């Protein structure tokens, strides 16, 4: 645990690791506090026998944000977090609605208030965007300063959970409540269901190694793949710009290009070094195109020359590159394309809480509990997780079961509401895709790429030369 004092912080918190004064989050909490005459060593503060011991599986943004609220609401809570990776792995940019942070105004904890105000300002300045890794790093720093114990690295991979005990690679920890936010392919979710589904469960440890490594439909109340998408990354020599840059491009080229791709295209450009830029495009693809990328993922991307990649998909990508070459003066570097398929899915875990035979509470949170498409998962669980944090902060051991039930209801209600919004949005996207498809078929097409010119333009791409010498990898071109 890193122990450090923060300069300029409220003088009520001289060392920050001294037990903080009580923060009245709820009447129930205030009533719960002990009047014991025993004292915390070296602090002169009364020892709080009733404060909970709460453990976390995973240290992603959801687990951290939840732990911060719990600690701010009940500073005596003994919190330990276990993360299997020394470094947080996700490195994408997320968009966060400012209203997700509204719950913070109910706390009077100087470290939380100061740290979150800075983080919130940073996100506002970036128009709601922040890299997931940066978010996690900032939350971790606030957590450390609030006195939350963080364990990260392979020694702290959680390998089993049981009745009040969590086992990690190098030891064990006891808990009154356990919050599992170990990502979409959560082993904790499977372990919790194994406990909950077994009426004879006596509290024995559930080892993660004995659980299936694939996600079964039975783990969810509803699970659906709403859309199939591909992310294509490729490198270009020298400068480039987005196809959507400038109103002229937007009106002249973008609509015609989207018709060709049968989907809107999201584009990002990232400099790799002084001479090279990386272009990333994301767009919707058909189920057949998605299936032709089966077996490929972020760690193992497909190449454009792979023979199993469907010709229609190859053609879309080449068309895009040909248009970019002509109108954005992009110089493609041959054979640098990497294709990664992904689905936009929606699911909610069949159960997100369980009370063990000895009355300990286990909760599933974050992507492990609810996954939403269209960039809503984190936004949703910042709200749900904040509520769980507040509820745990005001809970005593005796009302952990009630806390769990309230959490289950709230998480399900939010998942239904967000699921409804995602379904509506998905409907609109399907309508838009249909419009692009129809406007591509009608005979009175205007604002459209000339297929012959496009074909000639494709021939000037560097891959065209490569493919001419490898006929098996040749595109089917229109
Ligand atoms: C490309 C992309 C863009 C996105 N954009 C948005 C957006 O704009 N807005 C939005 O709301 N959402 C967005 N999301 C979703 C968002 O990133 C996730 O909802 C969020 O990161 C989930 O956080 P989490 O803490 O639940 O899980 P994770 O971030 O997956 O963290 C889980 C942690 O648990 C650890 N762990 C797993 N198993 C164990 C174990 N046995 N022991 C110890 N540790 C373990 C993992 O190492 C990991 O660090 C996006 C997702 C992607 C992929």
């Amino acid at each position: 645990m890193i122990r450090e004092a923060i300069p300029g912080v409220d003088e009520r918190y001289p060392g920050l690791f001294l037990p903080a004064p009580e923060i009245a989050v709820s009447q129930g909490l205030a009533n719960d506090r002990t009047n014991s005459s025993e004292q915390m060593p070296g602090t002169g503060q009364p020892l709080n026998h009733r404060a909970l011991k709460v453990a976390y599986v995973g240290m992603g943004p959801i687990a951290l944000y939840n732990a911060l609220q719990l600690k701010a609401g009940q500073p005596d809570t003994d919190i330990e977090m276990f993360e299997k990776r020394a470094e947080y792995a996700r490195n994408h940019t997320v968009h966060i609605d400012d209203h997700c942070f509204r719950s913070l105004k109910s706390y009077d904890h100087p470290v939380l208030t100061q740290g979150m105000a800075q983080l919130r300002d940073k996100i506002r300045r970036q128009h709601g965007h922040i890299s997931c890794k940066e978010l996690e790093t900032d939350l971790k720093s606030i957590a450390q300063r609030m006195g939350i114990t963080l364990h990260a690295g392979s020694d702290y991979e959680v390998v089993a959970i049981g009745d009040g005990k969590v086992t990690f690679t190098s030891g064990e920890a006891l808990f009154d409540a356990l919050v599992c936010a170990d990502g979409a392919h959560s082993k904790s979710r499977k372990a919790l269901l194994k406990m909950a589904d077994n009426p004879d469960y006596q509290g024995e440890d559930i080892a993660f190694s004995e659980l299936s490594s694939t996600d079964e439909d039975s783990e969810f109340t509803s699970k659906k793949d709403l859309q199939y998408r591909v992310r294509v990354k490729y490198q270009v020599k020298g400068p480039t710009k987005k196809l959507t840059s400038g109103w002229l491009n937007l009106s002249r080229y973008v609509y015609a290009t989207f018709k060709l791709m049968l989907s809107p295209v999201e584009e990002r450009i990232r400099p790799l070094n002084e001479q090279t830029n990386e272009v990333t495009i994301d767009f919707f693809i058909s189920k057949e195109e998605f299936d032709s990328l089966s077996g490929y993922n972020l760690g193992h991307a497909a190449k454009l020359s792979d023979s199993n990649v469907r010709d229609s998909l190859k053609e879309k990508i080449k068309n895009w590159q040909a248009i970019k070459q002509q109108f954005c003066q992009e110089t493609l570097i041959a054979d640098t394309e990497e294709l990664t398929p992904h689905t936009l899915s929606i699911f909610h875990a069949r159960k997100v809480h369980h009370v063990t035979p000895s009355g300990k509470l286990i909760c599933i949170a974050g992507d492990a509990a609810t996954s939403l498409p269209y960039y809503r998962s984190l936004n949703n669980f910042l709200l749900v997780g904040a509520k769980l944090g507040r509820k745990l902060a005001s809970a005593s051991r005796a009302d952990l079961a009630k806390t769990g039930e309230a959490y289950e209801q709230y998480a399900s209600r939010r998942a239904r509401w967000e699921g409804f919004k995602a379904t509506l949005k998905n409907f609109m996207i399907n309508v838009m895709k249909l419009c692009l498809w129809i406007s591509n078929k009608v005979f009175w097409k205007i604002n459209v790429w000339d297929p012959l010119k496009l074909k000639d333009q494709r021939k000037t791409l560097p891959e065209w030369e490569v493919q001419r010498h490898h006929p098996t990898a040749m595109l089917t071109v229109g």
Side-chain angles (χ1 to χ4, degrees):
M1 180 165 117
I2 297 173
R3 291 168 179 266
E4 56 185 64
I6 311 300
V9 164
D10 193 319
E11 60 190 12
R12 290 177 302 163
Y13 295 77
L16 283 177
F17 291 93
L18 305 181
E22 287 172 28
I23 294 167
V25 171
S26 78
Q27 196 53 48
L29 170 65
N31 291 342
D32 244 15
R33 313 291 287 200
T34 181
N35 288 324
S36 166
S37 56
E38 287 177 57
Q39 296 186 337
M40 290 272 277
T43 68
Q45 300 284 324
L47 188 61
N48 187 350
H49 292 288
R50 295 191 185 174
L52 297 179
K53 178 152 180 52
V54 182
Y56 285 78
V57 184
M59 217 193 283
I62 294 301
L64 284 162
Y65 191 62
N66 176 272
L68 293 184
Q69 312 240 351
L70 168 54
K71 190 73 177 169
Q74 173 52 283
D76 289 346
T77 313
D78 180 1
I79 302 180
E80 274 196 277
M81 305 186 78
F82 300 96
E83 165 59 55
K84 66 179 178 184
R85 292 197 172 93
E87 280 284 314
Y88 185 61
R90 288 181 185 253
N91 197 17
H92 53 269
T93 300
V94 288
H95 182 271
I96 301 180
D97 300 340
D98 193 56
H99 73 81
C100 290
F101 298 119
R102 259 190 231 147
S103 62
L104 293 169
K105 64 175 184 286
S106 38
Y107 300 105
D108 173 29
H109 193 294
V111 182
L112 182 80
T113 311
Q114 188 197 49
M116 284 307 301
Q118 282 171 3
L119 175 59
R120 206 170 163 183
D121 273 358
K122 189 195 291 182
I123 297 174
R124 278 188 191 139
R125 279 197 307 276
Q126 295 168 172
H127 309 287
H129 290 93
I130 187 166
S131 114
C132 212
K133 197 166 182 142
E134 198 178 348
L135 173 68
E136 186 264 353
T137 307
D138 286 6
L139 292 175
K140 215 157 121 182
S141 145
I142 303 171
Q144 281 171 338
R145 287 185 267 147
M146 286 175 77
I148 294 172
T149 308
L150 311 179
H151 302 289
S154 53
D155 280 354
Y156 298 103
E157 172 166 1
V158 172
V159 291
I161 56 179
D163 188 354
K165 188 183 81 188
V166 58
T167 308
F168 46 94
T169 332
S170 59
E172 293 177 354
L174 302 178
F175 65 80
D176 297 305
L178 178 72
V179 179
C180 309
D182 49 346
H185 307 294
S186 164
K187 283 283 174 97
S188 311
R189 181 179 62 226
K190 297 177 209 299
L192 179 140
L193 287 172
K194 198 165 173 187
M195 292 177 186
D197 289 348
N198 178 4
D200 301 325
Y201 176 68
Q202 299 292 317
E204 56 278 12
D205 284 357
I206 309 279
F208 286 3
S209 58
E210 287 166 14
L211 301 169
S212 155
S213 46
T214 51
D215 296 334
E216 312 292 339
D217 285 351
S218 59
E219 292 171 37
F220 310 101
T221 49
S222 55
K223 184 172 189 291
K224 221 171 5 176
D225 289 341
L226 295 183
Q227 298 285 352
Y228 303 98
R229 273 173 88 79
V230 68
R231 172 164 297 177
V232 184
K233 288 184 180 204
Y234 61 91
Q235 293 174 19
V236 296
K237 247 184 267 163
T240 183
K241 58 183 179 186
K242 287 190 189 181
L243 189 67
T244 50
S245 58
W247 284 106
L248 199 62
N249 273 7
L250 205 64
S251 57
R252 268 206 213 144
Y253 312 133
V254 170
Y255 173 60
T257 308
F258 286 5
K259 278 202 292 186
L260 212 58
M261 309 288 282
L262 293 177
S263 162
V265 181
E266 272 178 53
E267 184 184 17
R268 287 175 299 284
I269 295 168
R270 181 170 77 105
L272 291 182
N273 54 48
E274 275 180 15
Q275 286 88 40
T276 317
N277 279 294
E278 181 186 71
V279 180
T280 304
I281 53 171
D282 274 283
F283 56 98
F284 296 105
I285 53 176
S286 66
K287 171 95 169 70
E288 293 73 26
E289 288 167 340
F290 179 84
D291 287 344
S292 77
L293 295 172
S294 148
Y296 295 107
N297 52 46
L298 274 175
H300 171 49
K303 302 296 284 179
L304 199 57
S305 50
D306 287 346
S307 56
N308 41 337
V309 178
R310 213 175 160 87
D311 286 342
S312 60
L313 180 57
K314 289 180 176 184
E315 191 178 334
K316 283 179 190 171
I317 297 167
K318 299 288 10 154
N319 281 339
W320 168 271
Q321 290 174 332
I323 294 166
K324 286 288 309 276
Q325 175 170 271
Q326 190 172 0
F327 299 101
C328 300
Q329 290 74 49
E330 203 168 84
T331 311
L332 180 67
I333 303 178
D335 214 22
T336 52
E337 294 89 352
E338 291 187 346
L339 283 65
T340 321
H342 58 106
T343 50
L344 295 188
S345 336
I346 187 164
F347 70 65
H348 182 62
R350 180 157 56 80
K351 256 184 118 20
V352 295
H353 94 287
H354 180 65
V355 180
T356 64
S358 74
K360 308 289 190 268
L361 174 65
I362 302 177
C363 293
I364 305 294
D367 278 11
T370 312
S371 176
L372 295 161
Y374 308 120
Y375 312 130
R376 295 300 307 162
S377 289
L378 182 61
N379 278 282
N380 176 50
F381 242 92
L382 286 177
L383 292 176
V384 179
K387 181 107 166 185
L388 175 62
R390 287 200 300 279
K391 287 260 171 221
L392 280 174
S394 60
S396 67
R397 286 187 185 85
D399 27 74
L400 281 175
K402 257 196 320 201
T403 304
E405 262 160 43
Y407 170 62
E408 180 93 42
Q409 279 173 15
Y410 184 64
S412 308
R413 204 165 61 235
R414 286 273 337 161
R416 277 198 300 275
W417 170 236
E418 288 287 349
F420 171 70
K421 288 198 294 185
T423 313
L424 269 187
K425 188 160 184 181
N426 198 53
F427 173 75
M428 299 308 290
I429 284 175
N430 283 337
V431 170
M432 185 174 61
K433 280 163 56 185
L434 184 70
C435 290
L436 288 174
W437 183 81
I438 292 172
S439 57
N440 230 4
K441 294 274 169 212
V442 293
F443 62 87
W444 62 85
K445 282 184 264 187
I446 47 167
N447 197 358
V448 67
W449 293 112
D450 179 337
L452 290 176
K453 281 192 188 153
L454 207 54
K455 191 174 170 184
D456 287 344
Q457 183 64 25
R458 275 201 306 258
K459 285 182 188 168
T460 64
L461 290 172
E463 269 86 346
W464 185 263
E465 293 303 320
V466 173
Q467 282 152 7
R468 237 197 342 218
H469 297 111
H470 299 88
T472 46
M474 264 185 66
L475 297 178
T476 308
V477 286

